[in-house]
Amino acid sequence: MLIRKNAGDFWFETMNYLFLMLLGVITLYPFVNLLAISLNDSVDAIKGGIYVFPRVFSLNNYKIIFQNHELYSAAILSVIRTLVGTFLSLICTMMLAYTLSRREFLLRKLFNIIIIFSLYVNGGLIPFYVLIKNLHMNNTFWVYIIPGLIGAFNVIIIRSYFEQLPEGLMESARIDGANDFSILFRVIIPISMPVIATITLFVAVGHWNSWFDNYLYNSKQSLSVLQYELMKILTESTQQISASASASGKVDEEMLKVTTPQSIRASMTIIVTIPILLVYPFMQRYFIKGIMVGAMKE
């Protein structure tokens, strides 16, 4: 049946669509602007006035970045870190969240308080660095994985999702002889894909974008990740231009013809964002549902 819409409904839908279109433009514009700057000649980009399209098209910024041969091995290590870190973090987080969601667990309230408390209080950077050093994890690959293996926020989200699942599912599985591991991996996880996909995206993006732990704990070039190498390229470019300006009183034009920090920064942002953009559409249908249902009881 056709539903007749009055003038109020028509204007409401019209304004709603216009608002969503405006919100979409505001959200996408910074990324499009960075893409235009990264594809523009670096000297011309200093003049400003670049918004959506490059004024003087050039791939020189990307050529300079990819001329660094250490970037390729760092990119491979970043991919390995993201895959290994995300997988292990999900397994440990789901096991802890499942334990805390069970009402028969005697220390459930105590551990929930400890986890929530850890969201607000931490030991600080120096004690954490001393801990990593005493555990002999510096200059190892596992310093990227183990310290952030379990996140308190992720545990709360998954635990809340598990708590709202029908208790009859677990009871029927126990009657059939399943233990807790079987219940978690064969019953709970298959029906919890929305929240699992949501936390997977959170953890994967965190690992992919991380570079500060590389700066603090790893001095080996073989353990350098992609974002840290890109940060070094940006730092070196900025230092070279600053040194040139300090020595001669003005910026060397020949150096600016190669690249500028602004152009390098825009190109780096595009490079590290594209892999996430490629993954996100496959998880989008789970993302909103997972975060809303997981937070329902909080």
Side-chain angles (χ1 to χ4, degrees), residues 1 28 49 75 91 115 125 178 180 208 210 228 230 242 255 281 297:
M1 296 179 62
L28 291 176
I91 295 297
I115 288 175
L125 181 60
D180 286 316
W208 179 255
S210 181
Y228 183 61
L230 292 174
S242 299
M255 185 175 295
K297 290 194 174 184

Side-chain angles (χ1 to χ4, degrees), residues 169-233:
L169 290 174
M170 281 70 84
E171 293 298 332
S172 61
R174 287 194 180 92
I175 293 173
D176 292 336
N179 56 26
D180 286 316
F181 281 100
S182 298
I183 293 174
L184 175 61
F185 290 101
R186 301 179 66 178
V187 178
I188 303 299
I189 291 179
I191 62 175
S192 303
M193 291 309 298
V195 72
I196 292 174
T198 301
I199 301 303
T200 298
L201 188 62
F202 285 167
V203 177
V205 170
H207 277 291
W208 179 255
N209 289 334
S210 181
W211 64 270
F212 194 59
D213 48 5
N214 187 171
Y215 174 74
L216 288 178
Y217 309 122
N218 273 330
S219 58
K220 293 182 179 179
Q221 181 60 43
S222 59
L223 293 174
S224 184
V225 296
L226 175 63
Q227 283 69 20
Y228 183 61
E229 289 298 322
L230 292 174
M231 187 275 297
K232 288 198 299 184
I233 294 175

Side-chain angles (χ1 to χ4, degrees), residues 282-296:
F282 298 100
M283 294 186 172
Q284 184 179 10
R285 63 191 181 114
Y286 297 113
F287 187 78
I288 297 177
K289 182 180 178 182
I291 196 66
M292 291 298 293
V293 176
M296 187 178 297

Side-chain angles (χ1 to χ4, degrees), residues 37 40-48 50 55-56 58 60-61 252-260 262-263:
I37 293 174
N40 196 84
D41 180 72
S42 59
V43 177
D44 182 74
I46 298 177
K47 303 175 183 177
I50 300 175
R55 189 166 48 228
V56 181
S58 174
N60 191 50
N61 299 317
D252 188 353
E253 294 184 1
E254 293 298 324
M255 185 175 295
L256 286 179
K257 290 180 180 179
V258 178
T259 188
T260 61
Q262 179 190 18
S263 299

Side-chain angles (χ1 to χ4, degrees), residues 123-131:
L125 181 60
I126 295 177
F128 190 73
Y129 178 83
V130 173
L131 175 64

